[in-house]
Amino acid sequence: RNMIDIGSGYGNVIKNFIKNGRKITCLDIEPEYVDYLNCNFGGLGLKAVKANFETFDITSLAGTFDNVSCFNVLEHLEDDHGALKKMYELLCSKGSVFLVVPAGRWLYGTMDAADAHFRRYSKKELRDKLEKSGFVIHKLNYMNFFGMFGWFFNGRILKTKIIPSKQAGFFDKLVPVLKRLENVVMLPLGQSLIVIAEKRP
């Protein structure tokens, strides 16, 4: 009923969590995103705050949230282990963290560099950092197997800084089919890792 989202952007993901009676705190470093969130979702239990999570003082908020979410942001933080420990401190007992991060160190290329990614993650690296931060992992799975090939081709071979719009449009049309496939088949690799972990009581 009380969650905090780190690096919310325009709220493309977190808006799906809005629910009657739920309080959502959104943190983002960009004033434009904070203003947009407060203007469009401020009356729905959501409050956005301008903050850099790496320097954000959590003293007064420690132990107050049921959930922490962080989607495609952890790779932008230089001290990701420190960030995970702060997320742990924000949670109440048995609270959960939801993460999505880019997977596969071998996929790191020009698009990652252009988007200011410090890293892409292996399963082992992410598991180790979560466990060292105190979390018990309930889910740690790969996601977006097919997107991995486009990312490699553009970022490692063509060395572009952004996915061409025609490629992105074509892939968007395939997403509903690919999503159903990935819900049925557990694939051994993917462009991203999705995590659900719990604060150890």
Side-chain angles (χ1 to χ4, degrees):
R1 296 183 67 83
N2 190 14
M3 69 183 296
I4 184 168
D5 184 59
I6 298 158
S8 303
Y10 282 115
N12 292 336
V13 176
I14 198 63
K15 67 183 181 183
N16 297 299
F17 288 80
I18 292 173
K19 183 179 179 182
N20 188 36
R22 179 176 289 157
K23 290 172 59 180
I24 302 176
T25 301
C26 294
L27 302 183
D28 204 284
I29 200 169
E30 296 292 342
E32 177 184 350
Y33 300 152
V34 171
D35 291 343
Y36 178 88
L37 290 169
N38 284 326
C39 287
N40 287 275
F41 307 111
L44 302 173
L46 183 149
K47 179 184 178 182
V49 178
K50 181 183 180 299
N52 180 337
F53 187 64
E54 289 185 286
T55 58
F56 185 58
D57 184 1
I58 66 166
T59 306
S60 63
L61 297 173
T64 61
F65 294 98
D66 302 305
N67 304 108
V68 175
S69 57
C70 184
F71 304 117
N72 294 308
V73 173
L74 196 63
E75 65 275 13
H76 292 274
L77 307 181
E78 188 169 6
D79 182 11
D80 58 341
H81 185 211
L84 288 171
K85 289 193 288 187
K86 286 179 82 169
M87 293 179 203
Y88 183 90
E89 292 300 321
L90 284 168
L91 289 167
C92 61
S93 179
K94 295 189 178 181
S96 296
V97 64
F98 307 138
L99 300 174
V100 176
V101 299
R105 293 176 179 175
W106 58 277
L107 276 176
Y108 192 98
T110 51
M111 292 194 296
D112 291 285
D115 203 23
H117 291 178
F118 282 101
R119 67 195 73 79
R120 299 183 71 89
Y121 290 87
S122 67
K123 253 188 175 182
K124 182 181 185 306
E125 178 187 5
L126 190 56
R127 181 184 294 111
D128 287 348
K129 286 180 176 178
L130 283 162
E131 289 177 347
K132 285 177 183 176
S133 301
F135 288 104
V136 177
I137 299 169
H138 291 300
K139 180 177 183 176
L140 175 55
N141 294 340
Y142 285 108
M143 180 174 71
N144 195 3
F145 177 80
F146 296 97
M148 180 176 62
F149 298 101
W151 194 272
F152 180 84
F153 180 70
N154 287 290
R156 294 297 303 273
I157 296 176
L158 296 183
K159 298 190 183 302
T160 59
K161 293 184 177 180
I162 191 169
I163 295 176
S165 57
K166 286 185 179 179
Q167 278 189 40
F170 175 73
F171 186 74
D172 284 346
K173 293 177 182 176
L174 293 178
V175 165
V177 176
L178 301 178
K179 181 181 176 183
R180 284 195 288 271
L181 174 63
E182 290 193 355
N183 283 338
V184 175
V185 181
M186 186 70 70
L187 296 170
L189 291 170
Q191 186 179 332
S192 300
L193 283 162
I194 184 168
V195 179
I196 299 174
E198 183 179 86
K199 182 172 182 175
R200 189 174 290 138

